[in-house]
Amino acid sequence: MSAPAASSERASESVQQAGAEHVEPLRVGLLGHGTVGSAFARLLAERSEAIAARTGRRPQVEAILTRSSGSFEEVLDGSEVVVELIGGLEPARTWVLEAMSAGRHVITANKQLLCEHGEELFDVAHSNGVALRFEAAVAGVVPVIRVLTESLASLDVDRIHGIVNGTTNFVLSAMERGASYEQALAEAQASGFAEADPSEDVSGRDAAAKMAILARLAFRTPVKLADVPYEGIERLQSDDLQYARELGLGLKLIGTAERIGDGLSVRVHPAFLYGGHPLASVTGSFNAVTVEAEAITEITLSGPGAGGRATASAVLGDLVSVIESGRGAGRVPAAAPLRLLEDTESPFYLHVEVADKRGVLVAVAAILDRWGASIKSVLQRGLGDNARLVMVTHPLSEARLRAAVEEIGQLELVRSPPRAIRVIEEEFT
Ligand SMILES: NC(=O)c1ccc[n+]([C@@H]2O[C@H](COP(=O)([O-])OP(=O)(O)OC[C@H]3O[C@@H](n4cnc5c(N)ncnc54)[C@H](OP(=O)(O)O)[C@@H]3O)[C@@H](O)[C@H]2O)c1
């Protein structure tokens, strides 16, 4: 028994030696050395031997540019692959374009850049025959870009739903446990899950940029941030979450990109989910994306959406992929782009505070009926002289719902502006 083991060890040593002779360095230029950039440099140093054994190329960081050190020319001259981890539009756009025009493969985690200048970047990557990889730009380490551009590339995607912002998911999870919005946000900041200035996250803007990127890839249609209506979580109240729980609903900030006929709707807003939806159980700072297509029904991917080391591992995965294939998510064909839609149908949760008088429910229901909204479920709670009506409608267009809400708000018996939140009805149980 010992002889074969010894000979297999020798064989493996000689394979390693033979491999080592053929290992060539791969020079990586790093733009940015902040949270993700420094974590990437550390992870690369830790993993370079393993990558060399697997690919025959040993990646090493040759040059680093920050605000206070290095130069773009040094990074360009010293690299075959440029990794952009600066963030923002400029100078990132100029440097990424120059690097690709000079024949360098580029890896970036920059959602703003891809969202605003995606077509230009894909075209320049394609015309220079270089890879442009950006797995870390959406949902951190969750490999949704690869799944859309490779695993599911042959399918017609019908719909994507995503929890693509960890800060807001953390805040909503805390509100479901009874915290107010302000308490939940303070807890997120204290735990490092929200920035000192959380406005990009809580307004829904960060999620909208990520959904624009996913929509572009899944539906091969150019979508920019300006095309994505978004609504954040700032005005949500914890009692909405408590009432909704009685109706079997949980609240998330959901990004949606869906094909409707020959149109495409991309949007971000708070939405209630029934317990059977795969995103209903995603709590805390995790991100998750569901992709629906006729052939696959639905798949869900979930994992950490941010953090230096997790994000750096997605960047490093892109680097291995570039080494192995030499190419990446190149130009996304826009041969038959879909028409972008502004209004879509959905069921709505509606919360109305009214005087506790006879006929008020009938008056509210009559307005909803006039605007084409029928009621699926309703809760009524007494509050002294007032009462609270909480209901879920059957699907109707947002424009009709808003018109009905405005009219209900003008009823003499209504005590405060009604609140409306979308409901996602699908369940995959
Ligand atoms: N942090 C996360 O968890 C996360 C998750 C997913 C994606 N991302 C994306 O990853 C990218 C990097 O994020 P980060 O959190 O690592 O940012 P960060 O901590 O602010 O680091 C940015 C780095 O870029 C450098 N830099 C910025 N502007 C520059 C300029 N004009 N010239 C030269 N260097 C410049 C900074 O230099 P100094 O060191 O001199 O300031 C710093 O080293 C962004 O696109 C972000 O959206 C981040």
Side-chain angles (χ1 to χ4, degrees), residues 32-36 66-68 85-87 91 95 109-111 136 306-307 311:
H33 198 247
T35 306
V36 183
T66 67
R67 282 194 189 89
S68 54
L85 296 170
I86 290 174
W95 287 342
N110 189 333
K111 59 185 168 288
T311 308

Side-chain angles (χ1 to χ4, degrees), residues 219-338:
F219 299 99
R220 297 174 177 84
T221 295
V223 182
K224 292 192 172 192
L225 180 57
D227 300 319
V228 184
Y230 60 88
E231 191 185 313
I233 62 167
E234 308 101 310
R235 281 176 293 147
L236 296 174
Q237 305 199 4
S238 40
D239 61 351
D240 285 324
L241 280 74
Q242 318 301 326
Y243 285 112
R245 194 180 304 153
E246 292 186 41
L247 297 166
L249 296 164
L251 189 61
K252 306 287 177 197
L253 183 71
I254 298 288
T256 301
E258 65 180 332
R259 183 195 302 270
I260 301 173
D262 63 352
L264 172 63
S265 167
V266 190
R267 53 190 194 267
V268 170
H269 46 67
F272 283 113
L273 303 173
Y274 286 96
H277 194 283
L279 299 185
S281 57
V282 178
T283 55
S285 64
F286 263 42
N287 282 196
V289 178
T290 62
V291 183
E292 294 171 46
E294 184 271 322
I296 58 165
T297 309
E298 174 272 333
I299 61 164
T300 302
L301 303 155
S302 75
R309 197 165 166 86
T311 308
S313 76
V315 178
L316 193 57
D318 276 349
L319 183 63
V320 171
S321 184
V322 165
I323 296 172
E324 288 190 327
S325 68
R327 306 200 40 93
R331 187 163 61 175
V332 177
L338 301 174

Side-chain angles (χ1 to χ4, degrees), residues 41-54:
R42 272 194 303 278
L43 195 61
L44 180 60
E46 284 167 33
R47 303 296 305 157
S48 67
E49 283 311 315
I51 295 172
R54 173 181 166 148

Side-chain angles (χ1 to χ4, degrees), residues 86-229:
I86 290 174
L89 293 182
E90 287 294 353
R93 172 182 159 273
T94 303
W95 287 342
V96 163
L97 289 173
E98 280 186 26
M100 293 194 296
S101 302
R104 307 298 187 270
H105 301 299
V106 168
I107 298 166
T108 176
N110 189 333
K111 59 185 168 288
Q112 286 105 333
L113 185 61
L114 287 155
C115 178
E116 286 311 299
H117 298 290
E119 296 328 296
E120 182 185 27
L121 296 169
F122 293 134
D123 281 350
V124 171
H126 182 75
S127 55
N128 287 281
V130 296
L132 173 63
R133 286 273 183 173
F134 47 91
E135 187 64 72
V138 180
V141 74
V142 181
V144 59
I145 303 291
R146 194 153 306 153
V147 165
L148 284 177
T149 54
E150 294 176 19
S151 323
L152 303 183
S154 68
L155 298 183
D156 279 338
V157 172
D158 293 321
R159 183 181 296 111
I160 297 174
H161 281 313
I163 294 175
V164 289
N165 182 276
T167 304
T168 45
N169 207 49
F170 184 97
V171 169
L172 292 176
S173 298
M175 286 175 75
E176 282 202 318
R177 295 194 303 272
S180 67
Y181 170 72
E182 289 73 19
Q183 288 166 336
L185 184 57
E187 188 187 331
Q189 284 167 324
S191 324
F193 290 117
E195 309 258 343
D197 175 4
S199 45
E200 280 280 309
D201 295 316
V202 298
S203 66
R205 190 177 159 84
D206 172 88
K210 292 167 178 169
M211 290 311 299
I213 296 172
L214 293 185
R216 184 196 305 256
L217 297 177
F219 299 99
R220 297 174 177 84
T221 295
V223 182
K224 292 192 172 192
L225 180 57
D227 300 319
V228 184

